[in-house]
Structures are given as C-alpha cells and as structure tokens.
Amino acid sequence: MGKLSGEDIKRLSTLLSGTLSLNDLESFVYASTGDRLFVEYVAPGKPLRPTISDLLIALEDIGSTAKFLAYVYANRPGRPDVRTEIVKAFPDAVAVPAQTSALSVQTAGAPQADAPTNAHAPGLQRNVRPYLAKLDIRVWQSRLSEIERRVCRVELEGNAVGTGFLVGPDTVLTNWHVFEAAKNQGKGDKLGCRFDYELLPDGKVQPGQLVMLQAGGLIDSSPYSVAEGTAKPDDPLPTTAELDYALLHLASRVGEQQVEGAPRGWIALPKAGLPLAADAPILIVQHPQGTPMKLAMDTQAVIGLNGNGTRINYRTNTDPGSSGSPVFTMDWDIVALHHSGDPAWVNPTYNQGVPIELVRQRIEANGFANALGA
C-alpha cells in the first residue's frame, strides 16, 4: 500500500479543493467510506482546503485513503491534473479491486441508459440521499425529550405571541419582533413563557407552567432589518447587527428544575456554525398558532444561505406563532433561530432562520455571555 507524505497531502488538498465543493466532499466521503465527514473524520468550521488536509490525515491513520481517492479518481475524469497526482502520490488508489457483479437497472422493463452495471456501485449499496442519516432510535428520542422540556410558548396576558427556548438556567431566546409586539403596547413586563404545554396521548392538553419575566426582563436584543418589513426582505440584505433576537430574563431558574427525575436544562448555543448541504433535513420544535408543542420535519429542507450569510432559507413548515423557535439538524444540532417566511401570499417558497452562531457571537460581543448556560 502507498503512503502519503506531508508534501503529498499538501499538494492533493490544494488540487482537490479546486475540484470539490464542501457538498461534494461530504458526498464523496460518505459514498466511498460509508462514514460522515464531520462525524468520523474532521471537525466542522474550517475552510475547505484545511478540511481536506485533515481528512487525508485521518484516512491515512485508518488505512482508508485508497477508497476515497479511488472514488475521486473515478468521478473526476475531466481533471487529468487531479488524476495524475492521485496516481503519482498513491498508485494503490486506482488499483482498488473492482466489484463486477452484473446489474441491469430497468424502468417498466426498459434498461436505463445511464444506470451503473456494477451491483456494488456506491450509489446502489448506500442511501439515495446521503444527507439523510440512519438514526439511533433511543438516542434520537432521548434528545427530543430533552429539547421539548426546553421549548416554551411566549405569552402576553394569556395570548400566544411566539415561541422561545431556554439558553441558560433563567434565560430564553426568541425573536425581537415577538418581544416588540408587547413592548409597543407598553406590556413588555407582562410577557411570560409557558413550558410543557403539550397534547397528551389520551387527547388531553397538559397546560404546563407559566414563568413570567423578571422586571426589566430584556437582557439583550437585535432588530430585524427595515427591508424585512416589506415585500422585498433581502433588498438590502440584513447585516450582522440585524439578527431579530431578544434574550429574556425569567423570574425563576426554571432550567434547574427537576423534570421526570432530571434537570430541565437548556440548549447550548454553538460558537461556530455547521455546514448545511442543500436539501439537508431540518427540524423545528414550535408552538404554531399558539397550539400545543409541535415538531415540524422536512427531510429535504435546506435551500441555502442568503447573499451575506445572515439568513438561512429552508422548506420546513411553520405558522404564525412559530417565530422564535429553535431550528435543528436531524441529529438535533441547533443551527438557527426561526425568524420569518416568504412574504408572498401566493405560493410561498421558503421559511427563514438566523444562523445561531451569529446570535451567540453578537450576544457575547454585547457583553452578555454570562447569560448563556454552558
């Protein structure tokens, strides 16, 4: 077997970063190894070339470099420079034994002209949608149970005005426009957060508990952009000072309460964002129309970031009252603060959130990092 030197890795990572996007890289790694790039090999958040370099080092450690480079070699026939470097640095990569079981893919009895003839082709033995992971059921359910204890309905004098979620023992994050609705009525001190408001399996509604804000309960905030109040919300694009969040101070440390024998807890806000591939799943835990807590799920959701990365668009359904909801990946990593939807009345095409790492960065920059739980 070949072995990549430090110089080999440097050259290959430079070449590969010129032919593979981050989405390509995630897909190629999954197709060739069966493992997730950011789960098994590298940490998210680095630029593309260092990510590829870290990947090659990790693959070398476990002896899987040949699988990955063979897949790149096979799927980049128009890049002779890349293929030449692969052969030069790691000739074993193009000598990976081919699986040759015959296959005829047909539709209504007619062979598909562009289908593979190899029954062991990666696309035939792996998921059709590489970003839709297989989930460990008990782990996934446990994380959902934790999160539902931390999401709340934001209320004004008993009427629902939005959704929020605990980000510290006694702090809740929601949208600024949710708080603004009460502030404009001179009733900001009458806002409360209702936890555990849910429909039970027997059809009864669990009323949950209402926790009011402390006097002067607004800790920190960031407005939405002026354009977001119009029919052209991206003209101009919102800035990193226009993140539409409100950080609220509760009158009690509800995050430290015991719920079913465990602390209620809170959702930790990440310092760096996770890369989200187009069509990746998105989950939103919310109180749409003020109803008992709902989970909205779309397994082909992500549309992408706006022009300056201050908003992320997705297809997961929401309703009025969902403003301020936490937005998650399928593995329950929080990625956004749900914020708004397409202003089009007819055939809306997207919903939208604020990247959660931008919210955390601004809260810290404003001097309120101690309001966020560990």
Side-chain angles (χ1 to χ4, degrees):
M1 295 291 288
K3 186 74 175 177
L4 295 179
S5 68
E7 282 301 313
D8 292 335
I9 290 174
K10 182 178 179 181
R11 285 195 305 273
L12 274 170
S13 60
T14 300
L15 276 171
L16 293 178
S17 65
T19 189
L20 299 177
S21 67
L22 186 59
N23 289 350
D24 292 332
L25 185 63
E26 290 183 279
S27 179
F28 279 33
V29 168
Y30 188 51
S32 61
T33 69
D35 293 322
R36 302 284 176 179
L37 174 65
F38 294 113
V39 174
E40 298 294 339
Y41 297 116
V42 301
K46 288 187 177 182
L48 181 57
R49 193 199 59 75
T51 296
I52 295 174
S53 179
D54 288 352
L55 169 66
L56 292 174
I57 292 170
L59 290 172
E60 283 286 271
D61 287 342
I62 62 173
S64 292
T65 315
K67 293 180 181 179
F68 171 68
L69 290 181
Y71 194 81
V72 175
Y73 185 93
N75 286 275
R76 283 297 183 265
R79 287 296 302 267
D81 55 335
V82 172
R83 301 180 108 201
T84 298
E85 190 62 33
I86 290 174
V87 172
K88 176 183 174 183
F90 208 99
D92 290 331
V94 295
V96 174
Q99 304 287 343
T100 57
S101 301
L103 176 74
S104 175
V105 180
Q106 301 180 359
T107 300
Q112 292 185 9
D114 58 349
T117 58
N118 175 5
H120 296 273
L124 296 170
Q125 55 184 318
R126 306 201 184 277
N127 289 334
V128 173
R129 295 181 185 173
Y131 303 110
L132 190 55
K134 297 178 181 70
L135 304 167
D136 293 304
I137 293 175
R138 292 296 295 273
V139 175
W140 195 88
Q141 288 178 330
S142 176
R143 284 289 291 133
L144 173 57
S145 295
E146 291 174 355
I147 286 163
E148 68 180 283
R149 295 196 292 263
R150 300 164 187 176
V151 174
C152 58
R153 187 175 88 160
V154 182
E155 299 183 2
L156 177 61
E157 298 181 324
N159 296 312
V161 292
T163 299
F165 55 100
L166 283 165
V167 293
D170 55 358
T171 51
V172 161
L173 188 67
T174 188
N175 286 144
W176 165 250
H177 74 259
V178 170
F179 183 84
E180 184 184 42
K183 174 179 176 292
N184 288 345
Q185 299 176 53
K187 298 180 178 181
D189 60 341
K190 296 184 178 181
L191 277 175
C193 297
R194 184 176 298 276
F195 294 88
D196 310 316
Y197 178 49
E198 298 180 88
L199 180 67
L200 301 177
D202 61 5
K204 296 179 181 178
V205 174
Q206 176 176 275
Q209 69 167 309
L210 180 64
V211 182
M212 301 303 293
L213 300 191
Q214 271 198 3
L218 180 65
I219 298 173
D220 187 32
S221 65
S222 179
Y224 49 88
S225 72
V226 173
E228 287 175 321
T230 73
K232 295 182 177 181
D234 289 330
D235 187 16
L237 292 169
T239 69
T240 54
E242 297 169 322
L243 301 180
D244 192 20
Y245 73 78
L247 184 62
L248 308 178
H249 195 183
L250 300 177
S252 66
R253 296 175 71 84
V254 65
E256 296 175 347
Q257 286 181 339
Q258 294 289 307
V259 181
E260 298 179 352
R264 182 183 298 277
W266 50 85
I267 298 172
L269 303 187
K271 294 183 178 182
L274 288 174
L276 290 175
D279 293 333
I282 284 292
L283 312 178
I284 303 178
V285 182
Q286 55 184 296
H287 285 281
Q289 304 283 8
T291 59
M293 191 181 303
K294 301 285 192 296
L295 169 62
M297 177 186 301
D298 193 312
T299 59
Q300 199 168 8
V302 172
I303 298 170
L305 294 168
N306 69 349
N308 64 355
T310 56
R311 301 290 186 267
I312 181 169
N313 294 339
Y314 39 80
R315 302 181 183 93
T316 311
N317 287 332
T318 60
D319 281 306
S322 301
S323 294
S325 300
V327 178
F328 300 95
T329 68
M330 189 64 85
D331 290 320
W332 293 119
D333 294 312
I334 187 168
V335 290
L337 170 67
H338 178 68
H339 145 82
S340 68
D342 187 343
W345 284 99
V346 179
N347 297 325
T349 60
Y350 68 87
N351 277 307
Q352 189 177 80
V354 180
I356 200 67
E357 69 277 9
L358 298 185
V359 174
R360 177 176 181 132
Q361 290 164 16
R362 186 154 190 86
I363 289 172
E364 291 182 338
N366 289 345
F368 299 105
N370 61 352
L372 302 176

